[in-house]
Amino acid sequence: MKLHYQMFLLLNGALSVCFNLAKGQEKYSLSEFINLGLEKNYSIQIARNNQEISENNFTPGNAGFLPTLDLSTKQSGTVNNTQQSLAAGGTASTEGIHNTTSNAGVSLEYPLFSGFRVKTTYNRLKELKSQGDLSTKLAIEDFIAQTASEYYNFIQQTRQLDNLTYAVALSKERYRIDEERYLIGSGSRLQMLQSRVFLNADSSKLSRQHEVLRASQILLNKMVGAEDFTVLMEAVDTVILVNEGLIYEDLLASTLENNTKLLLSASDQVISEYDRKIIASGSYPYFNFNSGYGYTYNTYQAGNYTNQQTLGMNYGFTLGVNIFDGFNRRRELSNALIEINNEKISYQQLLQDVKADLMTIFKAYENNLRLLKLEYENLETARENMAIAFERYRLGDLAGIELREVQQSLLEAEERLISIQYQTKLAEISLLQISGRIMEYF
């Protein structure tokens, strides 16, 4: 009986091997898929470009620490008609007097003090740069979680394909037995036809499962930036290994410290405080220095001089303070305080959501671990029942409908185990992502 059951297992393995060899595709581990995606995934590329922009913006010049230096040149002129009344009597008039002015120079302006605006702006740019890093980290974490989920879904669908392949092998063997019995006259045509119906139904499920598996494979390749979908990569793993050692207290502590969304929300609070300080800096006096060096050339068509050249420098200091701006600064400060409060509320709301998600997913994770143990036992029992039932059927001691029920029980036990393994893995992935530990897959 055990030998007969082993024969079916070997047949199942042979069919699976033939299927894999026929595809002739390269196999990659999860970490290799992630590495490919980090290089080619379009969302990751966009996130990195945005991060580079925030890094480029973090400069002393953008904050206002550095002076501005301008080089300019200008050419202008006047054409005038004049008429003068002389004190001694009479008049004097001139027409079409064309005077020109040409100048070129360098001007420098440097804010010496602007109410701490410059320093606050620099700190704000630094915080925005950190946000750019966190946003890229969040995009990478989402990508790793999605890739891992689809990677293990591909394994789930592959195992389901193997399961259905085994069901077809069983149905083929049953049909062979019933056909032999019918040919030698010890079985009925009705029984043989019923076996063929079951075989066709199982073959149809197997064909549909090929489509499901191929769709998962295409999606997995798309996620890692593949461009050629005629030759698809597939997972090297064949089983879903679940980490059964996750502890809620450790996950919670890691979440409070490393959750990227919480870190981004905390950063938003810091930026809103910088915005308030920048607005408040308008209440302080400002002190600016400016200087210039230039050359001017004038031409005259009337007067004692025909032309004049000037070469020299100028400098000055400006000290001022805004006395009244229509209460706009007061309004902006009030709004800034409200925005700070909103950011604090948003953080608390996000913290509550994250804690709730963590607890919900962890409870599902614990329950799935318990279900896994039950389904392992159910599968062993179903396999033993199948071996016994098929041997009895081969000996003519079991009805066809009863064999079909036992076969279906085995198929469903396999499906339940595969599904729970995948659901447990999804819970594990989500827990690691929430707690900021998703990089463990990388």
Side-chain angles (χ1 to χ4, degrees):
M1 182 164 46
K2 289 184 178 180
L3 182 62
H4 195 71
Y5 179 63
Q6 290 173 354
M7 179 189 71
F8 289 120
L9 291 179
L10 290 173
L11 179 58
N12 172 40
L15 291 173
S16 179
V17 168
C18 290
F19 174 74
N20 289 326
L21 289 177
K23 292 186 290 185
Q25 296 154 343
E26 294 188 24
K27 297 178 181 291
Y28 290 85
S29 65
L30 176 58
S31 62
E32 289 173 330
F33 269 110
I34 292 173
N35 272 319
L36 287 172
L38 291 178
E39 296 176 3
K40 298 181 179 181
N41 182 269
Y42 295 119
S43 297
I44 300 295
Q45 293 180 40
I46 293 173
R48 284 175 172 161
N49 288 339
N50 291 332
Q51 178 186 2
E52 187 175 354
I53 291 174
S54 63
E55 290 175 351
N56 291 338
N57 288 335
F58 179 51
T59 63
N62 193 25
F65 275 115
L66 303 180
T68 58
L69 186 65
D70 294 324
L71 173 64
S72 62
T73 181
K74 181 180 179 181
Q75 173 73 34
S76 61
T78 61
V79 178
N80 296 318
N81 298 326
T82 63
Q83 185 171 359
Q84 298 173 318
S85 297
L86 303 177
T91 61
S93 62
T94 57
E95 295 182 358
I97 302 302
H98 184 198
N99 298 331
T100 64
T101 300
S102 303
N103 55 50
V106 178
S107 62
L108 175 109
E109 186 170 351
Y110 185 41
L112 299 176
F113 179 75
S114 57
F116 308 106
R117 174 188 292 271
V118 173
K119 182 179 180 181
T120 305
T121 301
Y122 187 74
N123 290 334
R124 186 179 186 276
L125 291 173
K126 182 179 181 180
E127 192 64 32
L128 287 173
K129 175 181 175 297
S130 298
Q131 272 202 351
D133 297 341
L134 288 173
S135 297
T136 301
K137 182 173 179 285
L138 181 62
I140 291 174
E141 288 178 345
D142 289 341
F143 166 75
I144 292 176
Q146 293 169 7
T147 302
S149 298
E150 194 55 43
Y151 181 86
Y152 289 108
N153 180 49
F154 177 80
I155 296 174
Q156 174 189 222
Q157 301 305 331
T158 301
R159 290 189 58 192
Q160 181 63 14
L161 181 72
D162 293 340
N163 190 28
L164 291 172
T165 302
Y166 176 57
V168 170
L170 288 175
S171 296
K172 283 183 177 180
E173 180 64 12
R174 174 183 172 178
Y175 176 70
R176 185 190 65 79
I177 294 173
D178 289 340
E179 186 180 36
E180 287 184 354
R181 289 176 177 173
Y182 172 70
L183 292 176
I184 63 176
S186 62
S188 66
R189 178 176 175 81
L190 177 62
Q191 184 67 34
M192 182 189 70
L193 294 177
Q194 186 63 55
S195 296
R196 182 184 294 174
V197 169
F198 290 149
L199 174 59
N200 291 339
D202 292 340
S203 299
S204 178
K205 289 182 181 179
L206 179 61
S207 179
R208 287 195 297 270
Q209 184 59 29
H210 277 287
E211 295 179 10
V212 173
L213 178 61
R214 182 51 59 89
S216 174
Q217 190 178 18
I218 291 174
L219 178 57
L220 181 60
N221 280 255
K222 175 185 174 183
M223 292 174 65
V224 299
E227 298 180 358
D228 183 8
F229 292 96
T230 58
V231 180
L232 298 174
M233 300 169 287
E234 63 179 43
V236 68
D237 296 306
T238 57
V239 294
I240 300 176
L241 298 178
V242 177
N243 182 359
E244 301 182 11
L246 297 180
I247 301 173
Y248 176 76
E249 288 74 17
D250 295 342
L251 292 169
L252 179 59
S254 180
T255 298
L256 297 178
E257 183 178 356
N258 301 316
N259 182 273
T260 306
K261 291 183 178 179
L262 289 177
L263 293 175
L264 278 169
S265 181
S267 179
D268 286 336
Q269 294 184 62
V270 175
I271 290 176
S272 64
E273 182 60 34
Y274 284 143
D275 289 337
R276 183 197 66 80
K277 290 181 178 180
I278 290 174
I279 295 171
S281 66
S283 300
Y284 290 84
Y286 57 88
F287 185 46
N288 298 333
F289 169 76
N290 57 77
S291 178
Y293 188 86
Y295 169 78
T296 303
Y297 178 76
N298 299 91
T299 64
Y300 310 99
Q301 287 190 350
N304 297 326
Y305 306 100
T306 59
N307 63 74
Q308 177 179 300
Q309 301 182 56
T310 304
L311 182 65
M313 68 169 291
N314 63 79
Y315 66 91
F317 295 91
T318 302
L319 176 64
V321 62
N322 180 266
I323 297 175
F324 181 71
D325 67 346
F327 303 109
N328 286 322
R329 188 177 302 109
R330 180 188 298 178
R331 171 183 55 80
E332 291 172 355
L333 282 173
S334 177
N335 290 340
L337 290 173
I338 294 173
E339 187 63 32
I340 290 173
N341 189 43
N342 281 342
E343 294 297 343
K344 291 179 179 178
I345 294 173
S346 296
Y347 179 85
Q348 293 300 323
Q349 182 182 28
L350 178 61
L351 179 61
Q352 183 185 51
D353 292 342
V354 168
K355 286 182 176 180
D357 290 343
L358 182 69
M359 175 60 75
T360 301
I361 297 172
F362 187 79
K363 290 301 181 182
Y365 166 79
E366 284 187 320
N367 186 57
N368 284 337
L369 288 179
R370 288 190 291 268
L371 290 175
L372 274 177
K373 296 178 181 179
L374 293 176
E375 292 304 331
Y376 276 123
E377 294 177 2
N378 287 340
L379 180 58
E380 290 300 319
T381 303
R383 284 174 175 173
E384 186 175 353
N385 286 343
M386 187 68 237
I388 296 173
F390 212 94
E391 184 64 19
R392 289 181 57 193
Y393 185 78
R394 188 177 65 83
L395 298 174
D397 193 30
L398 187 70
I401 191 64
E402 293 176 319
L403 176 63
R404 184 64 179 179
E405 290 176 357
V406 174
Q407 183 180 353
Q408 286 298 110
S409 295
L410 176 60
L411 182 64
E412 291 169 1
E414 288 273 10
E415 289 177 348
R416 286 196 307 272
L417 177 60
I418 296 170
S419 177
I420 292 175
Q421 283 179 330
Y422 179 62
Q423 294 302 321
T424 308
K425 196 64 181 181
L426 287 183
E428 174 194 318
I429 293 170
S430 297
L431 290 173
L432 293 181
Q433 183 179 16
I434 292 174
S435 61
R437 294 169 50 186
I438 195 67
M439 294 294 184
E440 290 180 11
Y441 291 118
F442 178 57

